[in-house]
Amino acid sequence: MKHESVAITITSGKGGVGKSTTVASVGLGLAQLGKKVCLVDTDIGLRKLDLMLGLENRIVYDLVDVIEGTGKLRQALVRHKEYPGLALLPAAQTRYKEEVTPAQVKQVVDELRNEFDYILIDSPAGIEGGFRNAIAAADRAILVVNPEIPSVRDSDRVIGLLEAADLKQIDLIVNRVQPGMVRDGDMLSVERVQNHLAINLLGIVPEDKRIIRSSNTGEPVILDQKSLAGKAFSNIARRINGEEVPFLELEENGLISRIKRLFHIASALN
Amino acid sequence: MAFLNMFSRDKDQPTAPTADDRLSLVLSYQRSEIDEAKLKQFRIRLIELCDDFGFDVVGQVEVRPQSRGGDRTTVLCASIPVRVKQKN
C-alpha cells in the first residue's frame, strides 16, 4: 500500500517574516503528535533550519549532494536528538540556487513520501528560482505574513503565483501580531489581513521575545511551555493534522492590562 | 502671527488615512496593474461617456481603485459630479 504523505511548502513574499521559525516549530509540533516529519530546506546558499533545530554540527550531506548523487538521501537526513520522527534535509550553504531545478527537488520530495507523513518545505524568500523549486513538489502551501503593508502586498503576489502553479490549498499564518498595536490602530488586524488576501486562516502567532532566544539556542519556541507563540505553533500543527482547534485569545484580560488600557499605556504582549 | 502659522500649517495629506485604506489602495493598484496615465485616460473617457448620455460634468472626476476581499479583485469607484444638459 502506498504511504499517504503530504508535502507542504511554507513560503512568504518577503524575507524576515518568521518562515524558518514556523517550519521548525510546526515540524516539531507534528513530531510531538507522533507523525513522521521531514523538513526540507530549499534556501540554497543561505541555510537556516539546521540552526533553528540545533543540528548545525551534524550535517554531512545536503540537498545538492543528494541531487548530484554524491550523497544518498538516507545519509543526508539529520535526525532530531529528542524526536527521531523528525528529520532535516539541509540546504547547501556553499552552492547557488541555480544549480537545482524544480524537477530535481520534486524527485527528492517524492522519494521522501515513502517514509514520512509530512514533508515541510522551507521556501526561500522572494519569487525567483528558489521559490519555484520550493513549490514544485508541494500538495499545498502555507503563507507566512506579518501584519504590515509590505508583507501583505508581497504575499498577495505570491498567492497569484501559487494559484498559477495550480496549488489549490493555500493557508495563511499571521505571525508577529501585537494586540496592543492592533488595538491602537498602528498595526493591521488579522481579520483585515485575511480579508484582503482572501485565503483560509490557519493560525495567529503573537510577537514573542522568546523566539529570539529559541533561534539562538537551537530550541524551537514550541518547546517552551510558557510561550504563547509556542502554544500558537502547537495549535497550528494540530490543525494541519486535521484537528479543530480554536484560535488563541491574544488579548490580555487581567486587571493589570485593563488598568494599562484605561491609562493608554501601550502594552506589549511580553 | 506668522510664528503661530508655522505650527498650524497643514501637513501633506496621506493618500489613504488608515493602514487598512492604504493597503487596499496598494493591493488594488498591484492587482490591476493600474498606473496614473491609465487612470487619467479612463477619466477622460468617462467624461466623454457622460457627454454621450446627456450629462455635463460639473466638477472633478475621481476614480479610486479599491481592493476587494473574497475574490481578490479591484473595484474602481468613480465619483462624477454631473448635471443634465440643458436643451436649447
Side-chain angles (χ1 to χ4, degrees), chain A residues 150-252:
Chain A
S151 175
V152 180
R153 180 182 62 178
D154 292 351
S155 298
D156 193 67
R157 284 192 72 195
V158 168
I159 291 171
L161 293 170
L162 291 170
E163 285 175 347
D166 219 21
L167 268 170
K168 299 278 185 258
Q169 188 176 352
I170 309 167
D171 295 308
L172 174 70
I173 293 177
V174 185
N175 194 22
R176 295 192 172 155
V177 177
Q178 299 192 42
M181 285 187 75
V182 174
R183 200 173 47 242
D184 294 341
D186 297 326
M187 182 176 268
L188 293 163
S189 71
V190 173
E191 188 191 16
R192 295 307 300 154
V193 172
Q194 189 202 3
N195 189 269
H196 282 292
L197 295 178
I199 53 175
N200 176 56
L201 183 64
L202 183 68
I204 305 165
V205 184
E207 179 77 289
D208 194 333
K209 279 183 241 169
R210 290 184 176 91
I211 288 178
I212 298 169
R213 190 173 59 209
S214 73
S215 299
N216 289 333
T217 57
E219 290 181 358
V221 73
I222 198 167
L223 297 173
D224 187 340
Q225 300 287 322
K226 291 180 188 163
S227 160
L228 201 56
K231 180 75 184 157
F233 283 126
S234 176
N235 287 349
I236 289 167
R238 288 167 61 196
R239 286 187 201 110
I240 291 172
N241 201 36
E243 285 183 55
E244 281 194 21
V245 187
F247 288 100
L248 282 180
E249 183 62 60
L250 300 185
E251 280 282 6
E252 297 169 292

Side-chain angles (χ1 to χ4, degrees), chain A:
Chain A
M1 198 176 108
K2 198 174 183 304
H3 188 85
E4 285 290 327
S5 77
V6 185
I8 308 171
T9 289
I10 286 97
T11 189
S12 69
K14 67 187 271 294
V17 298
K19 213 167 34 259
S20 296
T21 303
T22 302
V23 174
S25 273
V26 171
L28 255 176
L30 287 165
Q32 285 174 330
L33 295 172
K35 298 293 166 186
K36 288 184 175 173
V37 186
C38 185
L39 310 183
V40 182
D41 192 344
T42 62
D43 202 352
I44 314 285
L46 286 171
R47 78 172 174 223
K48 206 159 53 175
L49 259 183
D50 55 330
L51 287 171
M52 300 274 180
L53 292 158
L55 301 174
E56 66 278 3
N57 294 329
R58 296 168 58 192
I59 294 171
V60 181
Y61 296 104
D62 56 46
L63 176 63
V64 177
D65 292 324
V66 174
I67 285 169
E68 289 181 345
T70 48
K72 289 198 170 112
L73 181 57
R74 193 162 288 279
Q75 294 172 314
L77 293 178
V78 185
R79 301 278 167 178
H80 193 269
K81 289 162 271 187
E82 290 170 50
Y83 296 93
L86 178 70
L88 167 71
L89 180 54
Q93 208 174 8
T94 54
R95 308 294 282 269
Y96 299 101
K97 57 179 178 282
E98 293 76 20
E99 295 178 48
V100 177
T101 67
Q104 287 170 325
V105 175
K106 187 174 186 312
Q107 195 178 350
V108 172
V109 170
D110 284 345
E111 204 175 325
L112 290 168
R113 286 177 194 271
N114 297 323
E115 188 183 344
F116 295 97
D117 302 307
Y118 290 100
I119 299 147
L120 304 186
I121 305 162
D122 190 7
S123 162
I127 52 174
E128 303 304 320
F131 170 78
R132 299 195 185 282
N133 290 339
I135 64 169
D139 303 309
R140 50 188 279 203
I142 296 173
L143 197 59
V144 183
V145 180
N146 291 162
E148 300 161 2
I149 291 174
S151 175
V152 180
R153 180 182 62 178
D154 292 351
S155 298
D156 193 67
R157 284 192 72 195
V158 168
I159 291 171
L161 293 170
L162 291 170
E163 285 175 347
D166 219 21
L167 268 170
K168 299 278 185 258
Q169 188 176 352
I170 309 167
D171 295 308
L172 174 70
I173 293 177
V174 185
N175 194 22
R176 295 192 172 155
V177 177
Q178 299 192 42
M181 285 187 75
V182 174
R183 200 173 47 242
D184 294 341
D186 297 326
M187 182 176 268
L188 293 163
S189 71
V190 173
E191 188 191 16
R192 295 307 300 154
V193 172
Q194 189 202 3
N195 189 269
H196 282 292
L197 295 178
I199 53 175
N200 176 56
L201 183 64
L202 183 68
I204 305 165
V205 184
E207 179 77 289
D208 194 333
K209 279 183 241 169
R210 290 184 176 91
I211 288 178
I212 298 169
R213 190 173 59 209
S214 73
S215 299
N216 289 333
T217 57
E219 290 181 358
V221 73
I222 198 167
L223 297 173
D224 187 340
Q225 300 287 322
K226 291 180 188 163
S227 160
L228 201 56
K231 180 75 184 157
F233 283 126
S234 176
N235 287 349
I236 289 167
R238 288 167 61 196
R239 286 187 201 110
I240 291 172
N241 201 36
E243 285 183 55
E244 281 194 21
V245 187
F247 288 100
L248 282 180
E249 183 62 60
L250 300 185
E251 280 282 6
E252 297 169 292
N253 288 315
L255 181 65
I256 302 278
S257 58
R258 266 185 278 167
I259 292 169
K260 276 182 182 174
R261 219 174 296 161
L262 191 66
F263 290 101
H264 299 286
I265 299 170
S267 61
L269 202 74
N270 302 296

